[in-house]
Amino acid sequence: MVTIFDDNGKAYNIRDLKRFKKHLLDFHSQNGKGDNSLHEENGHWFRVTDVFYEHIMSIKEKKIN
């Protein structure tokens, strides 16, 4: 699980990082960059800027043995 902070500074745990990334890619990006749209998830709001988008996409999934 990965913890990030929403636009209001509240912690949010991303339970399925792969799904979260795919959603941002499919609905909140253009040409591999954040499109400045708002993403809402479970009462948390995130402005999908280039910086936010790149940060999320750079997070590596942890493998559990």
Side-chain angles (χ1 to χ4, degrees):
M1 190 172 338
V2 174
T3 302
I4 61 173
F5 292 88
D6 69 12
D7 290 355
N8 294 313
K10 292 187 205 173
Y12 177 70
N13 295 319
I14 303 173
R15 297 187 188 279
D16 186 342
L17 182 59
K18 187 175 181 178
R19 182 193 62 78
F20 193 86
K21 285 180 175 184
K22 180 161 176 30
H23 179 83
L24 293 182
L25 177 66
D26 291 345
F27 299 103
H28 298 285
S29 69
Q30 285 188 335
N31 301 320
K33 297 185 180 247
D35 65 3
N36 289 310
S37 60
L38 276 175
H39 170 68
E40 185 277 331
E41 186 153 335
N42 299 321
H44 294 266
W45 294 88
F46 305 92
R47 173 72 58 190
V48 185
T49 63
D50 287 340
V51 172
F52 177 81
Y53 183 84
E54 289 297 322
H55 172 68
I56 296 300
M57 294 305 174
S58 73
I59 298 171
K60 304 290 184 207
E61 297 197 44
K62 296 177 184 174
K63 293 184 181 181
I64 301 172
N65 295 330

